[in-house]
Amino acid sequence: VLSTVAHAEWVHRQADIMGTRVSVSLWHTDQARGEALAAQVMQEMKRIDNTYSPYRETSELSRLNREAAKPQAVNKPIAIDAEMTRLLDKSLFYGRLTDGAFDITFASVGRYYDYRAGKAPSDSQAQQLAEAIDYRHVVLDKTEQSVYYQHPAVYIDLGGIAKGYAVDRAIELLENDGVQHASVSAGGDSRVLGDRRGRPWMVGIKKPRGGEGVAITLPLTDTAISTSGDYERYFINEDGDWVHHIINPQTGKSTAELASVTIIGPRGFDTDALSTSVFVLGADEGLALINRLSGFDAVIITRKGKVHYSDGLAAGEQ
Ligand code: ADP
Ligand code: MG
Ligand code: MG
């Protein structure tokens, strides 16, 4: 009897892309179409990785890092496409909003960390390159769609914002095809579309460092959520310090106060940038920033295990 009706089904897919685990769950009235869409999402994630990875020599980001830092780029800025313009514009916006806590030029020093090999830049190297860290060195002309770097040692990395952007792109792709229930995550950055057919999506915030399982579970619909943690990429140095991948642009070193920051808001583009920002700002300044913005909430776990909630969550409005 059902043979003439398309078979409605949940589709779940996972793949390793962007140095992390990408997961897609979606509900579609036509399972074959749902599977095709899940494959398209993975394709889009791969495209974003190929375009914005600093680790791929052939990426557009690597081209920028090679060309835009050359002194002659000042007179002849490097042409970029609309998407790169948007990513840089958003990144620089968060640079200004956070007074440089979020700073894509952190990588001028940050590029010399090798977390797998347990290597950090030497103090003299870090000192020498410190002046290259300043998002204001990145001169973007939005109308012309061009960019140059004002300092020859500037090197940018979009790792603090690109995965959030990618989950937005994935959700838009699904939404444009009429999907009403979906969840897409790329490591710590997730976005859910609609609900899970009558129930909210349950998104867990992992226990910070050392802990197994989930610290807090949040019921969510139609929202993005990003978690930054000091356990994602790290090593322990000879002094016993925990060295991780979120860098304080003022010091060129990883931050020490927080263990994890989760931001909830409408779009992954913003929640991703804000999770990294608040991680650098610390609990007090970070909470003040999130409470000042409308539409965002935060759960902050300090290294000592204290949990802070933004006003919206503390008041039970979520
Ligand atoms: P995850 O990589 O787990 O999604 P984040 O969203 O916090 O975690 O991103 C961490 C990444 O952000 C780092 O790997 C690095 O590429 C980039 N990053 C580190 N420090 C900064 C900073 N101060 N400003 C902007 N980006 C940063
Ligand atoms: Mg982030
Ligand atoms: Mg992220």
Side-chain angles (χ1 to χ4, degrees):
V1 245
L2 289 173
S3 59
T4 55
V5 181
H7 188 45
E9 206 54 83
W10 281 104
V11 174
H12 304 283
R13 285 284 176 283
Q14 293 199 329
D16 291 319
I17 310 169
M18 302 190 282
T20 194
R21 173 56 59 90
V22 173
S23 307
V24 182
S25 295
L26 65 92
W27 194 83
H28 205 288
T29 48
D30 175 346
Q31 192 186 359
R33 182 73 197 135
E35 279 169 14
L37 282 170
Q40 270 184 40
V41 164
M42 295 306 187
Q43 274 310 115
E44 176 63 0
M45 297 295 200
K46 283 184 201 148
R47 182 193 68 81
I48 291 173
D49 186 35
N50 287 332
T51 313
Y52 301 105
S53 169
Y55 307 111
R56 296 176 193 277
E57 268 180 47
T58 54
S59 74
E60 178 64 1
L61 185 71
S62 293
R63 181 182 76 94
L64 261 200
N65 277 330
R66 279 193 302 270
E67 300 297 326
K70 289 183 180 162
Q72 59 264 38
V74 176
N75 297 319
K76 199 169 175 293
I78 308 305
I80 53 177
D81 68 8
E83 188 179 52
M84 179 67 93
T85 303
R86 248 189 102 200
L87 276 157
L88 293 179
D89 186 40
K90 190 71 127 180
S91 299
L92 298 177
F93 167 82
Y94 278 104
R96 292 188 296 272
L97 184 76
T98 64
D99 205 9
F102 187 86
D103 192 328
I104 53 175
T105 68
F106 84 92
S108 309
V109 174
R111 66 188 296 201
Y112 296 104
Y113 284 89
D114 182 340
Y115 297 95
R116 272 196 212 148
K119 275 200 271 194
S122 70
D123 285 346
S124 69
Q125 198 179 19
Q127 267 161 28
Q128 231 171 37
L129 293 168
E131 63 177 33
I133 302 185
D134 189 334
Y135 65 93
R136 288 166 295 199
H137 289 326
V138 178
V139 182
L140 174 70
D141 188 326
K142 279 199 278 181
T143 320
E144 287 293 317
Q145 297 194 173
S146 69
V147 67
Y148 67 91
Y149 303 164
Q150 263 175 342
H151 187 290
V154 169
Y155 185 93
I156 66 170
D157 180 323
L158 300 171
I161 194 165
K163 283 186 279 192
Y165 174 72
V167 301
D168 283 349
R169 290 281 308 172
I171 290 290
E172 279 160 23
L173 189 156
L174 298 175
E175 212 172 5
N176 289 341
D177 208 270
V179 172
Q180 291 176 328
H181 311 277
S183 163
V184 177
S185 69
D189 298 291
S190 306
R191 184 161 157 193
V192 298
L193 174 64
D195 65 1
R196 214 167 23 135
R197 303 198 72 228
R199 287 170 299 164
W201 294 93
M202 301 302 286
V203 179
I205 302 175
K206 270 199 238 168
K207 276 203 182 138
R209 223 198 281 173
E212 288 271 304
V214 167
I216 295 159
T217 304
L218 297 163
L220 301 174
T221 50
D222 269 320
T223 197
I225 178 166
S226 293
T227 298
S228 293
D230 65 0
Y231 47 81
E232 287 293 342
R233 226 174 290 148
Y234 69 90
F235 63 91
I236 296 165
N237 71 13
E238 57 277 16
D239 300 328
D241 296 329
W242 196 273
V243 179
H244 63 85
H245 70 148
I246 300 171
I247 306 291
N248 182 343
Q250 279 176 10
T251 62
K253 299 198 165 153
S254 59
T255 61
E257 184 191 335
L258 302 181
S260 95
V261 172
T262 298
I263 306 289
I264 303 153
R267 276 173 301 275
F269 212 6
D270 301 285
T271 57
D272 194 359
L274 284 169
S275 70
T276 310
S277 301
V278 170
F279 209 100
V280 174
L281 288 170
D284 292 347
E285 271 191 67
L287 274 180
L289 171 67
I290 296 303
N291 287 333
R292 181 155 63 80
L293 300 174
S294 74
F296 294 96
D297 272 303
V299 180
I300 299 175
I301 308 179
T302 69
R303 281 202 182 177
K304 289 181 178 155
K306 193 166 168 23
V307 184
H308 298 269
Y309 296 92
S310 61
D311 292 347
L313 291 175
E317 286 165 11
Q318 183 59 37

